[in-house]
């Protein structure tokens, strides 16, 4: 199939074993419409399928700044073929569940169209693991047809989330603004100050 994304034409091989085998998924296109890539970005395409997101990112910022991963051997093989087909074969493409084979923890962008028709266990691992692998200021961008659970989960983990509704899909953008341990320390300090004020009032 041929996918046209923001003026970039991708020639992609796909098959019936991979998500959206006949055309570029509208949700994926909606997600990419909300992403502006920078030459300094390091991108993870999480659950890459045939590779459309990661390959598009690589054509914009360079193959050496993109990693793709998927649990499906068929998807990984297809993504590798498509990377060669679109002259970005320098992309690192991993086989594994969620972040199983992804050691990097310095991503500025994690992009994902998760399997939202199943239970939320995979999405939970995507979001919680994504927070740990982003740099401060890095963003997790997801697209689904479900609103409440994703909005609440991303807000709980990241402290906030921006939601855009596009063509019947919800695109979520959550920015990492602190490390978890820093937040915990601030909470403890805040609690200590509150207790100190309370004790002073008792004296």
């Amino acid at each position: 199939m041929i996918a046209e994304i923001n003026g970039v034409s991708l020639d992609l091989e796909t098959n019936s074993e991979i998500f959206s085998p006949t055309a570029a998924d509208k949700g994926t296109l909606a997600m990419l419409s909300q992403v502006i890539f920078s030459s300094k970005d390091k991108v993870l395409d999480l659950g890459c399928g045939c590779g459309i997101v990661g390959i598009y990112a690589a054509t914009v910022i360079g193959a050496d700044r993109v990693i793709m991963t998927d649990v499906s051997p068929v998807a990984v093989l297809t993504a590798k073929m498509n990377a060669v087909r679109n002259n970005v074969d320098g992309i690192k493409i991993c086989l594994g569940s969620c972040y199983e084979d992804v050691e990097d923890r310095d991503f500025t962008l994690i992009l994902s169209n998760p399997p939202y028709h199943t239970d939320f266990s995979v999405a939970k691992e995507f979001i919680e693991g994504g927070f740990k692998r982003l740099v401060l200021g890095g963003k997790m961008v997801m697209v689904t047809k479900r609103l409440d659970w994703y909005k609440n989960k991303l807000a709980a983990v990241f402290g906030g989330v921006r939601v855009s509704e596009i063509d019947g899909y919800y695109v979520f953008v959550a920015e990492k603004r602190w490390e978890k341990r820093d937040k915990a320390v601030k909470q403890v300090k805040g609690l200590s100050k509150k207790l100190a004020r309370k004790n002073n009032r008792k004296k």
Side-chain angles (χ1 to χ4, degrees):
M1 69 176 176
I2 303 297
E4 298 285 344
I5 307 172
N6 299 328
V8 176
S9 180
L10 302 180
D11 182 9
L12 301 168
E13 181 71 28
T14 186
N15 63 64
S16 59
E17 294 185 53
I18 300 175
F19 173 69
S20 193
T22 59
D25 172 63
K26 289 183 179 180
T28 297
L29 297 179
M31 177 177 69
L32 289 174
S33 74
Q34 300 299 296
V35 179
I36 299 175
F37 292 103
S38 160
S39 60
K40 296 180 180 179
D41 278 328
K42 182 172 180 178
V43 177
L44 175 62
D45 178 4
L46 182 59
C48 66
C50 72
I52 183 170
V53 171
I55 290 171
Y56 169 69
T59 64
V60 178
I61 64 173
D64 61 328
R65 305 195 68 81
V66 178
I67 294 177
M68 305 196 300
T69 185
D70 202 288
V71 70
S72 164
V74 174
V76 168
L77 179 60
T78 304
K80 288 180 177 179
M81 291 190 299
N82 283 331
V84 173
R85 195 168 185 152
N86 290 274
N87 302 310
V88 287
D89 51 309
I91 299 174
K92 180 181 177 182
I93 305 175
C94 307
L95 172 65
S97 175
C98 296
Y99 302 95
E100 186 177 8
D101 198 33
V102 180
E103 298 179 355
D104 307 57
R105 291 175 178 263
D106 59 346
F107 294 104
T108 61
L109 283 171
I110 296 178
L111 310 177
S112 182
N113 186 344
Y116 52 83
H117 294 300
T118 60
D119 64 48
F120 294 112
S121 60
V122 174
K124 180 177 182 289
E125 192 169 349
F126 275 20
I127 293 168
E128 293 177 353
F131 185 93
K132 297 174 185 176
R133 286 163 176 81
L134 285 167
V135 298
L136 286 176
K139 295 176 181 177
M140 170 162 263
V141 186
M142 307 184 86
V143 61
T144 78
K145 279 198 168 184
R146 296 185 177 188
L147 175 61
D148 292 341
W149 187 90
Y150 285 89
K151 181 180 178 180
N152 293 336
K153 183 62 178 178
L154 284 161
V157 172
F158 284 83
V161 62
R162 175 168 59 84
V163 184
S164 302
E165 186 174 0
I166 303 170
D167 292 334
Y169 291 86
Y170 297 102
V171 180
F172 306 88
V173 181
E175 181 179 343
K176 181 173 180 176
R177 298 175 182 174
W178 59 71
E179 296 290 353
K180 280 291 186 184
R181 60 178 179 274
D182 293 338
K183 184 182 180 185
V185 168
K186 288 178 182 177
Q187 288 174 336
V188 170
K189 285 182 177 178
L191 181 59
S192 297
K193 288 179 181 178
K194 189 180 293 185
L195 289 172
R197 287 196 298 268
K198 186 176 180 181
N199 289 334
N200 286 335
R201 284 197 296 268
K202 289 180 178 179
K203 291 177 181 179

